[in-house]
Amino acid sequence: MRLVLLGPPGAGKGTQAQALSALWGIPQIASGDLLRAVVREDSELGREAASYMDRGQLVPDEFVLKLIAERFRKKDARSGFILDGFPRNVRQAEALGTGLEHAGLKLDKVVAVTLPDEEVVKRISGRRTCRNCAAMYHVVFEPPAEPGVCDKCGGELYQREDDGEDTVRERIKVYDETTRPLLDYYGRLGLLAQVDGVGRPDEVEKRILAALNGMAVPIKG
Ligand code: AP5
């Protein structure tokens, strides 16, 4: 399965990508996670990426395309992948299409998860992420058993730098202007399915699986 998950910030792309990755045994490739790993290295490149991310702006395409190409070279991506947060604009989508074509591959499906803006703000303001294993929680909707501590590995939970309300509103604007046109782009290619992101994570997952219409065979559960 080679799947793209599209959607506004906080739509649940990461949550769903993690669930589907566990179900199918293929990697979640999240451009935001790759960028945050570079930022943590505290290099010149990391500081440059952070300067865009902290303002809710997209990091320049060249930078992101290089990171994604490196990630695709890892062995685990050969059996399929779930792209989360990439592509973010038409140029990135074209680069993805060209790269896959050169490898004799193509995308199976693009699922756009939809969510109203006010729900986006609620979800993001309550998000907490594990510093150690990247597991995701929400202080109201998916709270950890012990506040601030990851249920899975005991790691520290933190709030992302770009999750303040003003930055979230900017990220929604950037999504509407730059990423939303991908719905038309992939619609024209006959790859798009839209899924309502309102509801519990397991309900949204069922909708995604229904939209895929039996395309992937679960290897677990
Ligand atoms: P990125 O990390 O990709 O962030 P995003 O797209 O804004 O999406 P989020 O990670 O905020 O949300 P999500 O949809 O994954 O939702 P989640 O599952 O976490 O990008 C960050 C920045 O990096 C960008 O602004 C940009 O600067 C840069 N960047 C990244 N990719 C780039 C690219 N390709 N090109 C250029 N720049 C790029 O859920 C959110 C919360 O809601 C969680 O707390 C979760 O527990 C909870 N939740 C999830 N589902 C449900 C549900 N069904 N019900 C209740 N709560 C739920």
Short mmCIF file of all heavy atoms in Angstrom, two decimals, residues 7-16 28 30-33 35-36 49 52-61 64 68 84-89 92 115 119-120 122-124 126-129 136-139 141-142 160 162-163 171 174 197-202 204, ligand 1:
data_model
loop_
_atom_site.label_atom_id
_atom_site.label_comp_id
_atom_site.label_asym_id
_atom_site.label_seq_id
_atom_site.Cartn_x
_atom_site.Cartn_y
_atom_site.Cartn_z
N GLY A 7 -4.77 16.61 4.84
CA GLY A 7 -5.74 17.20 5.76
C GLY A 7 -5.14 18.37 6.50
O GLY A 7 -3.91 18.49 6.59
N PRO A 8 -6.00 19.22 7.07
CA PRO A 8 -5.50 20.39 7.79
C PRO A 8 -4.73 19.98 9.04
O PRO A 8 -4.81 18.82 9.46
CB PRO A 8 -6.78 21.15 8.16
CG PRO A 8 -7.86 20.13 8.12
CD PRO A 8 -7.46 19.12 7.10
N PRO A 9 -4.00 20.92 9.66
CA PRO A 9 -3.32 20.60 10.91
C PRO A 9 -4.33 20.05 11.90
O PRO A 9 -5.45 20.55 11.99
CB PRO A 9 -2.76 21.95 11.38
CG PRO A 9 -3.31 22.98 10.47
CD PRO A 9 -3.81 22.30 9.24
N GLY A 10 -3.93 19.02 12.63
CA GLY A 10 -4.81 18.49 13.68
C GLY A 10 -5.94 17.62 13.19
O GLY A 10 -6.75 17.14 13.98
N ALA A 11 -6.02 17.37 11.87
CA ALA A 11 -7.12 16.56 11.35
C ALA A 11 -7.04 15.12 11.83
O ALA A 11 -8.02 14.38 11.76
CB ALA A 11 -7.12 16.59 9.82
N GLY A 12 -5.86 14.73 12.30
CA GLY A 12 -5.68 13.36 12.77
C GLY A 12 -4.84 12.52 11.82
O GLY A 12 -4.83 11.29 11.91
N LYS A 13 -4.07 13.18 10.94
CA LYS A 13 -3.24 12.43 9.97
C LYS A 13 -2.24 11.54 10.71
O LYS A 13 -2.09 10.37 10.40
CB LYS A 13 -2.46 13.40 9.06
CG LYS A 13 -3.34 14.36 8.28
CD LYS A 13 -2.53 15.28 7.40
CE LYS A 13 -1.62 16.24 8.14
NZ LYS A 13 -2.32 17.23 8.99
N GLY A 14 -1.55 12.13 11.69
CA GLY A 14 -0.54 11.37 12.43
C GLY A 14 -1.15 10.22 13.21
O GLY A 14 -0.64 9.10 13.20
N THR A 15 -2.28 10.50 13.87
CA THR A 15 -2.97 9.47 14.66
C THR A 15 -3.37 8.31 13.75
O THR A 15 -3.14 7.14 14.06
CB THR A 15 -4.23 10.08 15.32
OG1 THR A 15 -3.81 11.16 16.14
CG2 THR A 15 -4.99 9.06 16.14
N GLN A 16 -3.96 8.64 12.61
CA GLN A 16 -4.41 7.59 11.69
C GLN A 16 -3.23 6.88 11.04
O GLN A 16 -3.27 5.66 10.84
CB GLN A 16 -5.34 8.18 10.62
CG GLN A 16 -6.64 8.74 11.18
CD GLN A 16 -7.45 7.71 11.95
OE1 GLN A 16 -7.45 6.53 11.60
NE2 GLN A 16 -8.11 8.12 13.01
N GLN A 28 5.09 4.74 8.63
CA GLN A 28 4.50 6.08 8.51
C GLN A 28 5.68 6.99 8.17
O GLN A 28 6.70 6.98 8.87
CB GLN A 28 3.93 6.49 9.86
CG GLN A 28 3.60 7.97 10.00
CD GLN A 28 3.44 8.39 11.46
OE1 GLN A 28 3.94 7.70 12.37
NE2 GLN A 28 2.79 9.50 11.70
N ALA A 30 6.39 10.79 8.02
CA ALA A 30 5.78 12.09 8.36
C ALA A 30 6.82 13.18 8.15
O ALA A 30 7.83 13.22 8.87
CB ALA A 30 5.29 12.07 9.80
N SER A 31 6.56 14.07 7.19
CA SER A 31 7.56 15.11 6.91
C SER A 31 7.78 15.99 8.14
O SER A 31 8.90 16.42 8.41
CB SER A 31 7.15 15.95 5.70
OG SER A 31 5.79 16.33 5.77
N GLY A 32 6.71 16.25 8.92
CA GLY A 32 6.87 17.07 10.12
C GLY A 32 7.81 16.41 11.12
O GLY A 32 8.67 17.07 11.71
N ASP A 33 7.69 15.08 11.29
CA ASP A 33 8.58 14.36 12.22
C ASP A 33 10.02 14.41 11.72
O ASP A 33 10.96 14.58 12.51
CB ASP A 33 8.15 12.89 12.37
CG ASP A 33 6.84 12.75 13.15
OD1 ASP A 33 6.40 13.73 13.78
OD2 ASP A 33 6.26 11.65 13.10
N LEU A 35 11.36 16.70 9.89
CA LEU A 35 11.87 18.07 10.09
C LEU A 35 12.17 18.32 11.57
O LEU A 35 13.21 18.92 11.90
CB LEU A 35 10.85 19.09 9.58
CG LEU A 35 10.76 19.20 8.06
CD1 LEU A 35 9.48 19.91 7.64
CD2 LEU A 35 11.98 19.95 7.52
N ARG A 36 11.28 17.87 12.46
CA ARG A 36 11.54 18.09 13.90
C ARG A 36 12.82 17.36 14.34
O ARG A 36 13.54 17.85 15.21
CB ARG A 36 10.33 17.67 14.74
CG ARG A 36 9.21 18.72 14.71
CD ARG A 36 8.03 18.35 15.60
NE ARG A 36 7.22 17.30 15.03
CZ ARG A 36 6.30 17.49 14.08
NH1 ARG A 36 6.04 18.69 13.63
NH2 ARG A 36 5.60 16.48 13.59
N ALA A 49 15.12 25.51 9.36
CA ALA A 49 13.80 24.86 9.29
C ALA A 49 12.90 25.38 10.40
O ALA A 49 11.72 25.70 10.17
CB ALA A 49 13.97 23.34 9.40
N TYR A 52 10.91 28.60 9.90
CA TYR A 52 9.65 28.51 9.14
C TYR A 52 8.57 27.84 9.99
O TYR A 52 7.44 28.29 10.07
CB TYR A 52 9.85 27.69 7.86
CG TYR A 52 10.72 28.36 6.84
CD1 TYR A 52 12.08 28.12 6.79
CD2 TYR A 52 10.18 29.26 5.92
CE1 TYR A 52 12.90 28.74 5.86
CE2 TYR A 52 10.98 29.89 4.97
CZ TYR A 52 12.34 29.62 4.95
OH TYR A 52 13.13 30.25 4.04
N MET A 53 8.93 26.74 10.62
CA MET A 53 7.94 25.95 11.36
C MET A 53 7.34 26.75 12.51
O MET A 53 6.14 26.69 12.76
CB MET A 53 8.59 24.66 11.88
CG MET A 53 9.02 23.76 10.74
SD MET A 53 10.08 22.42 11.27
CE MET A 53 8.89 21.26 11.91
N ASP A 54 8.17 27.50 13.22
CA ASP A 54 7.67 28.25 14.38
C ASP A 54 6.67 29.33 13.96
O ASP A 54 5.87 29.79 14.77
CB ASP A 54 8.84 28.90 15.14
CG ASP A 54 9.68 27.85 15.85
OD1 ASP A 54 9.24 26.70 15.91
OD2 ASP A 54 10.79 28.19 16.33
N ARG A 55 6.73 29.75 12.68
CA ARG A 55 5.77 30.76 12.19
C ARG A 55 4.58 30.11 11.48
O ARG A 55 3.72 30.81 10.95
CB ARG A 55 6.47 31.70 11.20
CG ARG A 55 7.40 32.71 11.88
CD ARG A 55 8.06 33.62 10.86
NE ARG A 55 9.10 32.92 10.13
CZ ARG A 55 9.21 32.90 8.79
NH1 ARG A 55 8.34 33.55 8.05
NH2 ARG A 55 10.18 32.23 8.21
N GLY A 56 4.56 28.78 11.41
CA GLY A 56 3.46 28.09 10.74
C GLY A 56 3.58 28.11 9.23
O GLY A 56 2.63 27.79 8.52
N GLN A 57 4.78 28.48 8.73
CA GLN A 57 5.01 28.52 7.28
C GLN A 57 5.60 27.20 6.80
O GLN A 57 6.23 26.48 7.58
CB GLN A 57 6.02 29.64 6.95
CG GLN A 57 5.53 31.03 7.28
CD GLN A 57 4.37 31.45 6.38
OE1 GLN A 57 4.38 31.16 5.20
NE2 GLN A 57 3.38 32.12 6.95
N LEU A 58 5.45 26.92 5.51
CA LEU A 58 6.07 25.70 4.98
C LEU A 58 7.58 25.89 4.86
O LEU A 58 8.06 26.97 4.48
CB LEU A 58 5.51 25.37 3.59
CG LEU A 58 4.04 24.96 3.53
CD1 LEU A 58 3.70 24.48 2.12
CD2 LEU A 58 3.71 23.88 4.55
N VAL A 59 8.31 24.84 5.15
CA VAL A 59 9.76 24.82 4.95
C VAL A 59 10.00 24.73 3.43
O VAL A 59 9.21 24.07 2.73
CB VAL A 59 10.35 23.60 5.71
CG1 VAL A 59 11.82 23.43 5.42
CG2 VAL A 59 10.08 23.73 7.21
N PRO A 60 11.05 25.37 2.90
CA PRO A 60 11.25 25.34 1.43
C PRO A 60 11.28 23.91 0.85
O PRO A 60 11.79 22.99 1.47
CB PRO A 60 12.61 26.04 1.26
CG PRO A 60 12.71 26.95 2.44
CD PRO A 60 12.03 26.22 3.56
N ASP A 61 10.71 23.81 -0.35
CA ASP A 61 10.55 22.50 -0.98
C ASP A 61 11.85 21.72 -1.09
O ASP A 61 11.88 20.51 -0.84
CB ASP A 61 9.97 22.68 -2.40
CG ASP A 61 8.53 23.16 -2.37
OD1 ASP A 61 7.85 22.94 -1.34
OD2 ASP A 61 8.08 23.75 -3.36
N VAL A 64 12.71 19.90 2.06
CA VAL A 64 11.79 18.80 2.39
C VAL A 64 11.96 17.64 1.41
O VAL A 64 11.99 16.47 1.81
CB VAL A 64 10.33 19.32 2.36
CG1 VAL A 64 9.34 18.19 2.57
CG2 VAL A 64 10.13 20.39 3.41
N ILE A 68 12.75 13.71 2.31
CA ILE A 68 11.84 12.63 1.92
C ILE A 68 12.58 11.61 1.04
O ILE A 68 12.43 10.39 1.22
CB ILE A 68 10.61 13.20 1.16
CG1 ILE A 68 9.73 14.01 2.12
CG2 ILE A 68 9.81 12.11 0.46
CD1 ILE A 68 8.86 13.17 3.06
N ASP A 84 2.43 11.17 5.59
CA ASP A 84 1.65 12.00 6.50
C ASP A 84 2.26 13.41 6.49
O ASP A 84 3.38 13.59 6.95
CB ASP A 84 1.70 11.32 7.89
CG ASP A 84 1.47 12.24 9.07
OD1 ASP A 84 1.02 13.38 8.89
OD2 ASP A 84 1.78 11.80 10.20
N GLY A 85 1.55 14.36 5.91
CA GLY A 85 2.06 15.74 5.86
C GLY A 85 2.88 16.05 4.62
O GLY A 85 3.37 17.16 4.46
N PHE A 86 3.05 15.10 3.76
CA PHE A 86 3.76 15.25 2.48
C PHE A 86 2.97 14.51 1.43
O PHE A 86 2.58 13.37 1.67
CB PHE A 86 5.18 14.70 2.58
CG PHE A 86 5.92 14.79 1.26
CD1 PHE A 86 6.66 15.92 0.96
CD2 PHE A 86 5.84 13.75 0.33
CE1 PHE A 86 7.32 16.01 -0.26
CE2 PHE A 86 6.50 13.85 -0.88
CZ PHE A 86 7.24 14.98 -1.17
N PRO A 87 2.73 15.07 0.25
CA PRO A 87 3.12 16.41 -0.20
C PRO A 87 2.22 17.50 0.39
O PRO A 87 1.11 17.24 0.84
CB PRO A 87 2.95 16.32 -1.71
CG PRO A 87 1.87 15.30 -1.91
CD PRO A 87 2.04 14.30 -0.80
N ARG A 88 2.72 18.73 0.33
CA ARG A 88 2.04 19.88 0.92
C ARG A 88 1.65 20.92 -0.13
O ARG A 88 0.96 21.87 0.18
CB ARG A 88 3.05 20.53 1.82
CG ARG A 88 2.86 20.89 3.24
CD ARG A 88 1.89 20.21 4.07
NE ARG A 88 1.89 20.78 5.39
CZ ARG A 88 2.14 20.11 6.50
NH1 ARG A 88 2.42 18.83 6.46
NH2 ARG A 88 2.09 20.72 7.67
N ASN A 89 2.15 20.75 -1.34
CA ASN A 89 1.79 21.67 -2.43
C ASN A 89 1.96 20.92 -3.75
O ASN A 89 2.46 19.77 -3.77
CB ASN A 89 2.65 22.95 -2.38
CG ASN A 89 4.14 22.65 -2.45
OD1 ASN A 89 4.55 21.66 -3.04
ND2 ASN A 89 4.96 23.51 -1.85
N GLN A 92 5.51 19.68 -4.66
CA GLN A 92 5.91 18.47 -3.93
C GLN A 92 5.18 17.24 -4.49
O GLN A 92 5.75 16.16 -4.60
CB GLN A 92 5.62 18.62 -2.44
CG GLN A 92 6.49 19.66 -1.75
CD GLN A 92 6.26 19.74 -0.24
OE1 GLN A 92 5.56 18.91 0.33
NE2 GLN A 92 6.86 20.74 0.39
N LEU A 115 -11.82 18.33 8.61
CA LEU A 115 -12.18 18.71 9.98
C LEU A 115 -12.42 20.22 10.01
O LEU A 115 -11.63 20.99 9.47
CB LEU A 115 -11.01 18.37 10.92
CG LEU A 115 -11.36 18.32 12.41
CD1 LEU A 115 -12.20 17.07 12.73
CD2 LEU A 115 -10.11 18.31 13.27
N GLU A 119 -12.63 22.80 15.40
CA GLU A 119 -12.24 21.48 15.91
C GLU A 119 -10.71 21.32 15.83
O GLU A 119 -10.08 20.77 16.72
CB GLU A 119 -12.96 20.42 15.08
CG GLU A 119 -13.03 19.05 15.69
CD GLU A 119 -13.75 18.99 17.03
OE1 GLU A 119 -14.66 19.81 17.29
OE2 GLU A 119 -13.36 18.13 17.83
N VAL A 120 -10.14 21.86 14.76
CA VAL A 120 -8.67 21.83 14.58
C VAL A 120 -7.99 22.50 15.78
O VAL A 120 -7.08 21.95 16.39
CB VAL A 120 -8.28 22.57 13.27
CG1 VAL A 120 -6.80 22.93 13.27
CG2 VAL A 120 -8.62 21.75 12.05
N LYS A 122 -9.17 23.09 18.78
CA LYS A 122 -9.38 22.32 20.02
C LYS A 122 -8.43 21.14 20.09
O LYS A 122 -7.82 20.87 21.12
CB LYS A 122 -10.82 21.76 20.03
CG LYS A 122 -11.81 22.59 20.80
CD LYS A 122 -13.09 21.78 21.01
CE LYS A 122 -14.27 22.52 20.42
NZ LYS A 122 -15.45 21.71 20.17
N ARG A 123 -8.32 20.44 18.98
CA ARG A 123 -7.47 19.24 18.99
C ARG A 123 -6.01 19.60 19.19
O ARG A 123 -5.30 18.95 19.95
CB ARG A 123 -7.64 18.48 17.67
CG ARG A 123 -8.94 17.74 17.64
CD ARG A 123 -8.85 16.60 16.68
NE ARG A 123 -10.15 16.01 16.46
CZ ARG A 123 -10.42 15.20 15.47
NH1 ARG A 123 -9.49 14.89 14.61
NH2 ARG A 123 -11.61 14.69 15.34
N ILE A 124 -5.58 20.65 18.50
CA ILE A 124 -4.14 20.95 18.56
C ILE A 124 -3.75 21.53 19.91
O ILE A 124 -2.68 21.21 20.45
CB ILE A 124 -3.75 21.91 17.41
CG1 ILE A 124 -3.80 21.09 16.13
CG2 ILE A 124 -2.37 22.49 17.62
CD1 ILE A 124 -3.12 21.71 14.97
N GLY A 126 -4.78 20.75 22.70
CA GLY A 126 -4.69 19.70 23.73
C GLY A 126 -3.71 18.59 23.40
O GLY A 126 -3.56 17.65 24.17
N ARG A 127 -3.04 18.72 22.26
CA ARG A 127 -2.15 17.62 21.86
C ARG A 127 -0.90 17.56 22.74
O ARG A 127 -0.28 18.58 23.04
CB ARG A 127 -1.71 17.80 20.41
CG ARG A 127 -0.58 16.82 20.06
CD ARG A 127 -0.16 16.77 18.64
NE ARG A 127 -0.06 18.05 18.01
CZ ARG A 127 -0.14 18.23 16.70
NH1 ARG A 127 -0.35 17.20 15.91
NH2 ARG A 127 -0.02 19.42 16.19
N ARG A 128 -0.50 16.36 23.10
CA ARG A 128 0.78 16.13 23.77
C ARG A 128 1.45 14.96 23.05
O ARG A 128 0.79 13.99 22.68
CB ARG A 128 0.59 15.78 25.25
CG ARG A 128 -0.12 16.86 26.08
CD ARG A 128 0.73 18.13 26.23
NE ARG A 128 0.05 19.13 27.04
CZ ARG A 128 -0.79 20.06 26.56
NH1 ARG A 128 -1.05 20.12 25.26
NH2 ARG A 128 -1.36 20.93 27.38
N THR A 129 2.77 15.05 22.89
CA THR A 129 3.52 14.04 22.14
C THR A 129 4.66 13.52 23.00
O THR A 129 5.27 14.30 23.75
CB THR A 129 4.09 14.67 20.84
OG1 THR A 129 3.02 15.34 20.15
CG2 THR A 129 4.69 13.64 19.91
N MET A 136 1.10 9.78 20.49
CA MET A 136 0.33 11.01 20.59
C MET A 136 -0.84 10.90 21.56
O MET A 136 -1.49 9.85 21.62
CB MET A 136 -0.22 11.34 19.22
CG MET A 136 -0.15 12.79 18.96
SD MET A 136 0.21 13.15 17.30
CE MET A 136 -0.13 11.73 16.40
N TYR A 137 -1.08 11.96 22.29
CA TYR A 137 -2.18 12.00 23.25
C TYR A 137 -2.93 13.31 23.09
O TYR A 137 -2.46 14.23 22.42
CB TYR A 137 -1.63 11.91 24.69
CG TYR A 137 -0.86 10.64 24.95
CD1 TYR A 137 0.49 10.55 24.65
CD2 TYR A 137 -1.51 9.52 25.47
CE1 TYR A 137 1.19 9.38 24.86
CE2 TYR A 137 -0.82 8.34 25.70
CZ TYR A 137 0.54 8.28 25.39
OH TYR A 137 1.23 7.12 25.61
N HIS A 138 -4.09 13.38 23.74
CA HIS A 138 -4.82 14.65 23.83
C HIS A 138 -5.29 14.76 25.26
O HIS A 138 -5.82 13.78 25.82
CB HIS A 138 -6.00 14.66 22.85
CG HIS A 138 -6.64 15.99 22.74
ND1 HIS A 138 -7.49 16.48 23.73
CD2 HIS A 138 -6.55 16.97 21.81
CE1 HIS A 138 -7.90 17.69 23.37
NE2 HIS A 138 -7.34 18.01 22.21
N VAL A 139 -5.11 15.93 25.88
CA VAL A 139 -5.40 16.05 27.31
C VAL A 139 -6.87 15.73 27.63
O VAL A 139 -7.17 15.28 28.73
CB VAL A 139 -5.01 17.44 27.87
CG1 VAL A 139 -3.50 17.62 27.88
CG2 VAL A 139 -5.67 18.56 27.12
N PHE A 141 -9.28 14.24 24.86
CA PHE A 141 -9.83 13.15 24.04
C PHE A 141 -9.06 11.83 24.17
O PHE A 141 -9.63 10.76 24.02
CB PHE A 141 -9.85 13.56 22.55
CG PHE A 141 -10.57 14.86 22.28
CD1 PHE A 141 -9.98 15.84 21.50
CD2 PHE A 141 -11.84 15.10 22.80
CE1 PHE A 141 -10.63 17.05 21.24
CE2 PHE A 141 -12.50 16.29 22.53
CZ PHE A 141 -11.88 17.27 21.76
N GLU A 142 -7.74 11.92 24.41
CA GLU A 142 -6.92 10.70 24.52
C GLU A 142 -5.90 10.91 25.63
O GLU A 142 -4.69 10.93 25.37
CB GLU A 142 -6.13 10.45 23.22
CG GLU A 142 -6.93 10.18 21.98
CD GLU A 142 -7.35 8.72 21.86
OE1 GLU A 142 -6.72 7.86 22.49
OE2 GLU A 142 -8.32 8.48 21.15
N ARG A 160 4.04 20.80 21.26
CA ARG A 160 4.87 21.30 20.16
C ARG A 160 4.96 22.82 20.16
O ARG A 160 4.00 23.51 20.48
CB ARG A 160 4.28 20.82 18.82
CG ARG A 160 4.88 19.51 18.39
CD ARG A 160 4.16 18.88 17.25
NE ARG A 160 3.84 19.75 16.14
CZ ARG A 160 3.22 19.33 15.04
NH1 ARG A 160 2.89 18.06 14.92
NH2 ARG A 160 2.95 20.17 14.06
N ASP A 162 4.92 24.82 17.71
CA ASP A 162 4.05 25.51 16.75
C ASP A 162 2.57 25.27 17.05
O ASP A 162 1.73 25.48 16.18
CB ASP A 162 4.39 25.06 15.31
CG ASP A 162 4.26 23.56 15.09
OD1 ASP A 162 4.21 22.82 16.09
OD2 ASP A 162 4.20 23.13 13.93
N ASP A 163 2.24 24.84 18.26
CA ASP A 163 0.84 24.56 18.59
C ASP A 163 0.12 25.68 19.33
O ASP A 163 -1.00 25.49 19.81
CB ASP A 163 0.74 23.23 19.37
CG ASP A 163 0.77 22.02 18.43
OD1 ASP A 163 0.77 22.22 17.19
OD2 ASP A 163 0.79 20.88 18.93
N ARG A 171 -1.22 28.17 10.29
CA ARG A 171 -1.07 26.87 9.63
C ARG A 171 -2.35 26.50 8.87
O ARG A 171 -2.29 25.92 7.78
CB ARG A 171 -0.73 25.78 10.66
CG ARG A 171 0.72 25.88 11.10
CD ARG A 171 1.00 25.14 12.41
NE ARG A 171 0.68 23.74 12.40
CZ ARG A 171 0.51 23.00 13.49
NH1 ARG A 171 0.63 23.55 14.69
NH2 ARG A 171 0.24 21.72 13.39
N VAL A 174 -2.26 28.57 5.69
CA VAL A 174 -1.30 27.99 4.73
C VAL A 174 -1.90 26.72 4.10
O VAL A 174 -1.78 26.50 2.89
CB VAL A 174 0.05 27.68 5.42
CG1 VAL A 174 0.95 26.83 4.54
CG2 VAL A 174 0.75 28.98 5.81
N GLY A 197 -13.30 13.62 9.40
CA GLY A 197 -12.39 13.39 10.53
C GLY A 197 -13.03 13.62 11.89
O GLY A 197 -12.36 13.51 12.92
N VAL A 198 -14.33 13.95 11.90
CA VAL A 198 -15.02 14.17 13.18
C VAL A 198 -15.41 12.81 13.76
O VAL A 198 -15.89 11.94 13.03
CB VAL A 198 -16.28 15.04 12.97
CG1 VAL A 198 -17.05 15.20 14.28
CG2 VAL A 198 -15.90 16.40 12.40
N GLY A 199 -15.20 12.67 15.07
CA GLY A 199 -15.54 11.39 15.71
C GLY A 199 -14.31 10.78 16.35
O GLY A 199 -13.22 11.34 16.26
N ARG A 200 -14.51 9.64 17.02
CA ARG A 200 -13.38 8.99 17.70
C ARG A 200 -12.36 8.48 16.68
O ARG A 200 -12.73 8.16 15.54
CB ARG A 200 -13.88 7.78 18.51
CG ARG A 200 -14.72 8.12 19.76
CD ARG A 200 -14.84 6.87 20.62
NE ARG A 200 -15.01 5.65 19.84
CZ ARG A 200 -16.20 5.14 19.52
NH1 ARG A 200 -17.32 5.72 19.89
NH2 ARG A 200 -16.28 4.02 18.80
N PRO A 201 -11.08 8.37 17.10
CA PRO A 201 -10.05 7.88 16.17
C PRO A 201 -10.41 6.54 15.52
O PRO A 201 -10.20 6.35 14.32
CB PRO A 201 -8.80 7.75 17.05
CG PRO A 201 -9.00 8.76 18.13
CD PRO A 201 -10.47 8.80 18.39
N ASP A 202 -11.01 5.62 16.30
CA ASP A 202 -11.34 4.31 15.69
C ASP A 202 -12.46 4.44 14.66
O ASP A 202 -12.49 3.69 13.67
CB ASP A 202 -11.69 3.28 16.78
CG ASP A 202 -12.90 3.70 17.59
OD1 ASP A 202 -12.93 4.84 18.08
OD2 ASP A 202 -13.85 2.90 17.72
N VAL A 204 -12.88 7.11 12.74
CA VAL A 204 -12.25 7.71 11.55
C VAL A 204 -11.45 6.62 10.81
O VAL A 204 -11.50 6.53 9.57
CB VAL A 204 -11.35 8.90 11.94
CG1 VAL A 204 -10.67 9.49 10.71
CG2 VAL A 204 -12.15 9.97 12.68
P1 AP5 B 1 3.18 18.61 10.57
O1 AP5 B 1 3.93 18.00 11.68
O2 AP5 B 1 2.95 17.83 9.33
O3 AP5 B 1 1.84 19.18 11.19
P2 AP5 B 1 0.36 19.38 10.56
O4 AP5 B 1 0.14 18.94 9.16
O5 AP5 B 1 0.05 20.78 10.85
O6 AP5 B 1 -0.45 18.32 11.27
P3 AP5 B 1 -0.41 17.98 12.76
O7 AP5 B 1 0.75 17.06 13.04
O8 AP5 B 1 -0.51 19.21 13.59
O9 AP5 B 1 -1.80 17.23 12.93
P4 AP5 B 1 -2.30 15.81 12.49
O10 AP5 B 1 -3.26 15.95 11.36
O11 AP5 B 1 -1.17 14.85 12.31
O12 AP5 B 1 -3.15 15.44 13.77
P5 AP5 B 1 -2.77 14.51 15.01
O13 AP5 B 1 -2.98 13.09 14.65
O14 AP5 B 1 -1.45 14.92 15.55
O15 AP5 B 1 3.90 19.97 10.11
C1 AP5 B 1 4.41 20.89 11.04
C2 AP5 B 1 5.21 21.96 10.29
O16 AP5 B 1 6.33 21.33 9.62
C3 AP5 B 1 4.46 22.69 9.17
O17 AP5 B 1 3.71 23.79 9.66
C4 AP5 B 1 5.61 23.11 8.26
O18 AP5 B 1 6.29 24.23 8.79
C5 AP5 B 1 6.55 21.91 8.34
N1 AP5 B 1 6.26 20.91 7.31
C6 AP5 B 1 5.82 19.63 7.52
N2 AP5 B 1 5.71 19.00 6.35
C7 AP5 B 1 6.08 19.86 5.39
C8 AP5 B 1 6.16 19.76 3.97
N3 AP5 B 1 5.80 18.65 3.32
N4 AP5 B 1 6.58 20.86 3.29
C9 AP5 B 1 6.96 22.00 3.92
N5 AP5 B 1 6.89 22.16 5.26
C10 AP5 B 1 6.45 21.09 5.99
O19 AP5 B 1 -3.93 14.91 16.04
C11 AP5 B 1 -3.93 16.16 16.69
C12 AP5 B 1 -4.48 15.99 18.14
O20 AP5 B 1 -5.83 15.52 18.08
C13 AP5 B 1 -3.71 14.92 18.96
O21 AP5 B 1 -3.67 15.33 20.29
C14 AP5 B 1 -4.56 13.66 18.82
O22 AP5 B 1 -4.44 12.82 19.96
C15 AP5 B 1 -5.97 14.26 18.72
N6 AP5 B 1 -6.86 13.47 17.86
C16 AP5 B 1 -6.54 12.87 16.67
N7 AP5 B 1 -7.62 12.26 16.14
C17 AP5 B 1 -8.65 12.51 17.00
C18 AP5 B 1 -10.04 12.17 17.01
N8 AP5 B 1 -10.57 11.44 16.00
N9 AP5 B 1 -10.80 12.61 18.03
C19 AP5 B 1 -10.26 13.34 19.04
N10 AP5 B 1 -8.96 13.68 19.10
C20 AP5 B 1 -8.16 13.29 18.08
#
